[in-house]
Amino acid sequence: MENRVHTSLGVLIGGVHTYFPKEIIRGISKEAEKEHINIFFFLGMQTKVFLKQVLGEHSNAFYDYQFNTIYDYSQIGGLQGLLINYGTIGTYLKENNVRIFAQRYNDLPSVFLTEKINVANCYSIISDNYQGLYSVVEHLITEHGCKRILFVKGPVGNTDSNERFQGYQDAMKAHDLTVQPQMIAQGDYSEFIDESVEELLDHNPDADAIVFANDEMAYSGCRVCRKRGLQVGKDILLTGFDNGELSRQTDPPLTTVLQDGKAMGELAVRNMMCILNGEEVPFCRYPTKLVVRESCGCMRQNNEQIQSEEDRSEETGRLRHEIIEKQQQFVEFQRKSWLLPMMVRELNECVDDERGFCLRIMDTMKVMGVSSSYLFLLDQPIVYDGESDWTCPENLRLAAHCRNGETFAYSLEERPLVTRERGIAQMTEDGGDHQYMVYLLFSSERQYGLLVCEVPIKDLSFYYVVSLQIGLALHNYELNKIEALHRQQLFQDMERIREQNRELDMKSAYDQLTGLLNLRGFTERTKKICEDGKRRKAHLLYGDLDHLKEINDTWGHAEGNFAIKACADILKSCIRGSDMIARIGGDEFSCLVFSEMDTFDTILKDRIIQACKEFNERSRKPYYVELSVGIQTFELENYEDIQLANISADQILYEAKKNRRKSIKKKNNEL
């Protein structure tokens, strides 16, 4: 296939879970395919009505506001024009003002569907809502003699809704029928307005008919009437607006107004191409048509009568096709229902690196049958509360893609940045024709980026659920990364604390001057030795530096410290490294030595005397460094044995001190 650079259009559209927006999408898709135009549908999805129906008033769709931000990503779409279905967007905006919205996007030529707009570079296509609704009410009055006709409005501030309401009011007025406030109910275009219909019927038990501003709300009306035992088409007449796909399948089939969303979508694409070619495009009010069926009380033979065998055959073929399509959709739904939990499990398994995680997302999309998909991620997640000002982010990057069944993920450093000059359309351009759905990836207040994927229109809602799961997986991955960083930081903190504790232990257990154990360290070590309960022969030495006071008083404390360190070195030279030696006081030392030799105490004492002699011969100090020692030999089994040996060694030391020099000052000839 020859590569070509396509014209790329963006479509901003909400409410895509309902019939009419889907029809618009189908029309845009059909015309774009015909003209080889690439389309990017920026999808606003709302969950509130569904959650309320399932969970009641306590449902929480608080984060639906996130969907309103997806439209801004079209500003970095690299697009040539925008098709905007404002009727499905404005209702959910914080400020429902079509002019402000149009000015936000009119850097590009824009075609607005279901909305009238008078802003530069903006063009409009809208249904003839007024005439369509007027014809419904007039039919009920003139053909069925209805006088008390109730009305369920669409969303507040919606142009379609306002025009349809005006058509209702004017038709009633033209036939001199009074409209009272209790005859009007506020709806939201969803199928889940049962409470509003119940209340409307409670206030109007004598109602002849209810006119709904769209088909979805009319389905709710049929459900409520059946619940009340009212036979639609006999006891009360109901009508809708849209001619939705289910309008023929309701019981009885629904009288409605055809507004051809598919044709309007096709026209929107044609108009945009004319605009891009520099041609003038007029405002268009697209005609509507009354479709009469049994829900308004008309009999089938008077409206949708099948008069010939050919007609019957065509109708039978259509129904057979619908049945086959529904069966296929059911099988497809079952398959995807199995795939979805597998996908969730796959994505939430721990992956060591972000590139691998993004690749896993693309592989998951591939397994689900999506041949082309793109994952765009923000450098850092954006926290958006729905109240503060929102602007399109400037740090969106292409993280991974699946093209023609081949998956690829970029490293963090290599991810291409999305800009207005090189936008989403340029980064997804591969020479082929594509129609991409663009889903926002978020979890609660945190936005992570976009999923751009080529999926069938019938699967829009399913891949919306997939996008939510991917958003949740991204959130979990972010939490795992934070947790890993916290673990690493905790490990480093614990290591630092351990090092500090080791230093504190050293300081608390060792003498800073000599580097020997202090009294605390000596005591703890000896207690640990006694913990094993083994009996062994030991020798406990108590030693004093002779005449430390004389050294301090005569030569100063620096020399006193030198003499103490010299004593420590002398004692260390006389025992093994595995034996314990400590400075337990200012001039006091203690050693614990293990030896089975019977005369070891005498040998140790002689070693110390000889070591002192050798030191003094080479020290060139004006004083002698000498130790008086007392050694007690004993059997060590528990700590109490050492305590008793302490007493004996101390007494022996006391006796030894009596034999020390009277003065440690050297004579001149001894220096």
Side-chain angles (χ1 to χ4, degrees):
M1 179 180 64
E2 180 186 353
N3 283 355
R4 66 170 74 89
V5 177
H6 290 77
T7 297
S8 295
L9 303 181
V11 179
L12 313 188
I13 188 166
V16 295
H17 50 275
T18 56
Y19 170 75
F20 187 66
K22 279 186 179 178
E23 284 294 284
I24 289 177
I25 290 174
R26 288 188 178 97
I28 292 172
S29 178
K30 180 181 177 182
E31 190 67 21
E33 183 177 0
K34 175 182 171 184
E35 298 296 329
H36 301 289
I37 299 167
N38 279 354
I39 298 289
F40 294 81
F41 293 95
F42 292 83
L43 305 173
M45 308 283 290
Q46 299 294 329
T47 60
K48 182 177 180 180
V49 291
F50 298 106
L51 290 178
K52 184 176 179 181
Q53 179 72 4
V54 175
L55 302 177
E57 293 298 326
H58 302 291
S59 64
N60 182 4
F62 181 73
Y63 298 106
D64 270 3
Y65 66 79
Q66 293 279 20
F67 294 113
N68 293 331
T69 67
I70 195 171
Y71 310 121
D72 270 5
Y73 284 94
S74 66
Q75 296 176 336
I76 52 173
L79 307 167
Q80 284 75 57
L82 293 176
L83 311 179
I84 302 175
N85 187 10
Y86 186 78
T88 58
I89 295 173
T91 304
Y92 302 105
L93 297 177
K94 188 167 59 175
E95 184 179 10
N96 185 0
N97 186 312
V98 65
R99 187 173 185 82
I100 292 174
F101 189 88
Q103 288 170 341
R104 188 179 183 92
Y105 298 99
N106 73 332
D107 286 349
L108 296 175
S110 302
V111 173
F112 276 71
L113 289 131
T114 67
E115 186 59 66
K116 294 181 293 186
I117 187 68
N118 185 22
V119 172
N121 217 19
C122 298
Y123 307 84
S124 297
I125 301 172
I126 190 168
S127 293
D128 193 349
N129 297 289
Y130 176 88
Q131 188 57 46
L133 209 294
Y134 191 104
S135 66
V136 167
V137 177
E138 189 165 59
H139 175 78
L140 292 172
I141 297 170
T142 59
E143 296 295 324
H144 300 284
C146 296
K147 298 186 181 301
R148 192 164 182 81
I149 303 172
L150 314 181
F151 188 76
V152 180
K153 298 165 63 177
V156 175
N158 180 278
T159 298
D160 284 346
S161 171
N162 292 341
E163 289 185 349
R164 293 171 195 179
F165 183 48
Q166 190 63 52
Y168 161 77
Q169 289 179 303
D170 288 353
M172 293 288 281
K173 184 177 181 181
H175 291 274
D176 297 322
L177 295 176
T178 303
V179 176
Q180 299 167 323
Q182 67 266 28
M183 296 169 63
I184 311 300
Q186 182 62 58
D188 58 11
Y189 275 170
S190 81
E191 187 185 340
F192 310 111
I193 58 162
D194 295 33
E195 286 187 17
S196 297
V197 178
E198 293 273 13
E199 188 175 342
L200 188 65
L201 288 172
D202 286 342
H203 292 158
N204 301 274
D206 55 345
D208 298 318
I210 308 177
V211 173
F212 291 87
N214 78 337
D215 288 349
E216 302 268 340
M217 295 191 296
Y219 303 151
S220 176
C222 291
R223 185 167 55 242
V224 170
C225 288
R226 281 197 301 271
K227 181 180 173 184
R228 286 177 168 244
L230 296 174
Q231 188 174 350
V232 175
K234 273 192 170 185
D235 302 327
I236 191 166
L237 312 185
L238 300 186
T239 67
F241 198 112
D242 283 340
N243 196 33
E245 57 190 345
L246 297 179
S247 60
R248 291 191 183 199
Q249 276 75 49
T250 57
D251 184 20
L254 184 66
T255 292
T256 184
V257 175
L258 168 65
Q259 60 165 350
D260 196 338
K262 191 174 179 181
M264 290 172 69
E266 293 172 7
L267 178 61
V269 175
R270 290 197 297 272
N271 280 4
M272 177 56 71
M273 296 310 294
C274 289
I275 293 165
L276 294 177
N277 290 329
E279 301 173 27
E280 285 295 321
V281 173
F283 166 75
C284 174
R285 185 172 289 282
Y286 210 85
T288 56
K289 178 184 177 183
L290 177 64
V291 179
V292 180
R293 300 191 181 105
E294 287 94 315
S295 72
C296 71
C298 287
M299 298 305 292
R300 186 176 180 85
Q301 59 269 24
N302 292 331
N303 47 75
E304 290 188 314
Q305 187 175 24
I306 302 174
Q307 298 177 347
S308 67
E309 287 296 328
E310 184 178 345
D311 290 336
R312 290 191 183 94
S313 177
E314 182 181 338
E315 179 74 359
T316 302
R318 184 188 63 78
L319 291 173
R320 184 180 293 113
H321 175 76
E322 284 187 9
I323 291 169
I324 292 171
E325 188 177 79
K326 295 298 181 184
Q327 287 174 335
Q328 289 174 339
Q329 289 177 0
F330 179 71
V331 172
E332 189 83 357
F333 174 78
Q334 284 184 313
R335 185 181 69 84
K336 290 173 180 175
S337 297
W338 281 102
L339 279 174
L340 192 57
M342 290 172 63
M343 181 204 78
V344 173
R345 183 183 63 194
E346 181 78 8
L347 291 182
N348 285 293
E349 286 181 0
C350 182
V351 177
D352 293 336
D353 64 290
E354 191 163 328
R355 182 178 179 275
F357 180 73
C358 294
L359 194 60
R360 177 170 286 184
I361 292 174
M362 292 295 95
D363 286 337
T364 300
M365 295 296 290
K366 177 181 174 182
V367 168
M368 300 184 80
V370 182
S371 60
S372 294
S373 56
Y374 295 80
L375 179 67
F376 292 88
L377 295 180
L378 298 163
D379 287 342
Q380 296 294 331
I382 292 176
V383 177
Y384 180 54
D385 60 7
E387 295 297 329
S388 54
D389 291 337
W390 167 265
T391 55
C392 184
E394 297 180 353
N395 62 342
L396 186 71
R397 297 178 186 272
L398 177 59
H401 59 70
C402 176
R403 281 180 175 165
N404 300 317
E406 296 295 325
T407 59
F408 176 81
Y410 294 91
S411 65
L412 285 171
E413 301 78 18
E414 296 174 333
R415 291 178 178 177
L417 179 66
V418 181
T419 64
R420 291 176 185 267
E421 295 74 26
R422 180 168 166 73
I424 295 169
Q426 287 70 42
M427 290 193 178
T428 56
E429 178 65 70
D430 61 5
D433 297 345
H434 298 286
Q435 296 180 22
Y436 290 111
M437 305 301 167
V438 184
Y439 294 94
L440 183 70
L441 299 176
F442 72 97
S443 179
S444 301
E445 291 185 341
R446 304 181 75 78
Q447 282 193 25
Y448 295 94
L450 301 176
L451 175 66
V452 179
C453 54
E454 191 169 28
V455 297
I457 296 170
K458 63 184 177 61
D459 291 336
L460 283 180
S461 297
F462 176 77
Y463 282 96
Y464 156 64
V465 176
V466 170
S467 72
L468 291 181
Q469 292 298 335
I470 293 175
L472 183 59
L474 286 164
H475 183 61
N476 289 338
Y477 183 79
E478 180 190 14
L479 293 179
N480 289 336
K481 281 202 305 184
I482 293 171
E483 184 182 354
L485 288 173
H486 285 171
R487 282 199 304 268
Q488 183 180 4
Q489 185 63 50
L490 181 62
F491 176 79
Q492 293 172 347
D493 291 344
M494 290 178 67
E495 192 59 37
R496 186 169 59 252
I497 291 169
R498 279 194 290 267
E499 184 60 33
Q500 291 172 347
N501 287 339
R502 283 193 289 269
E503 291 178 8
L504 289 173
D505 286 343
M506 287 287 292
K507 291 178 181 178
S508 62
Y510 286 84
D511 174 55
Q512 292 186 10
L513 179 62
T514 64
L516 301 177
L517 290 168
N518 58 23
L519 178 60
R520 177 188 172 189
F522 186 77
T523 302
E524 289 179 352
R525 294 285 180 88
T526 53
K527 285 181 177 179
K528 285 185 178 179
I529 290 173
C530 296
E531 286 177 357
D532 61 11
K534 292 182 180 179
R535 190 171 185 83
R536 69 200 85 182
K537 191 171 184 178
H539 310 272
L540 183 65
L541 177 147
Y542 261 26
D544 270 4
L545 169 60
D546 292 342
H547 299 296
L548 176 61
K549 186 176 184 304
E550 183 182 355
I551 296 172
N552 286 334
D553 291 347
T554 305
W555 293 282
H557 286 278
E559 290 297 325
N561 287 342
F562 174 82
I564 290 170
K565 287 191 284 185
C567 280
D569 292 337
I570 289 168
L571 288 171
K572 283 192 285 185
S573 70
C574 295
I575 63 172
R576 297 166 300 190
S578 58
D579 297 323
M580 282 196 301
I581 178 171
R583 180 189 177 199
I584 59 175
D587 58 355
E588 298 175 353
F589 296 87
S590 182
C591 298
L592 181 64
V593 183
F594 296 97
S595 176
E596 296 295 328
M597 295 176 61
D598 293 335
T599 60
F600 182 77
D601 54 342
T602 303
I603 294 171
L604 181 56
K605 190 183 296 184
D606 290 343
R607 282 181 191 170
I608 294 170
I609 292 171
Q610 183 62 30
C612 288
K613 181 180 177 181
E614 292 173 359
F615 174 83
N616 288 318
E617 286 175 351
R618 66 176 183 272
S619 72
R620 304 185 66 82
K621 291 291 183 180
Y623 52 83
Y624 293 103
V625 173
E626 292 177 335
L627 282 153
S628 298
V629 298
I631 301 175
Q632 176 63 45
T633 300
F634 66 106
E635 293 292 327
L636 174 61
E637 186 174 2
N638 52 55
Y639 187 66
E640 286 74 15
D641 297 330
I642 294 178
Q643 291 176 311
L644 293 173
N646 279 340
I647 297 170
S648 299
D650 190 45
Q651 290 173 347
I652 296 170
L653 171 63
Y654 180 75
E655 292 299 324
K657 282 183 178 181
K658 294 177 181 180
N659 298 321
R660 66 183 177 175
R661 295 174 189 270
K662 299 298 181 184
S663 171
I664 44 79
K665 187 174 185 181
K666 289 181 179 179
K667 297 176 182 179
N668 289 334
N669 62 343
E670 293 176 315
L671 293 173

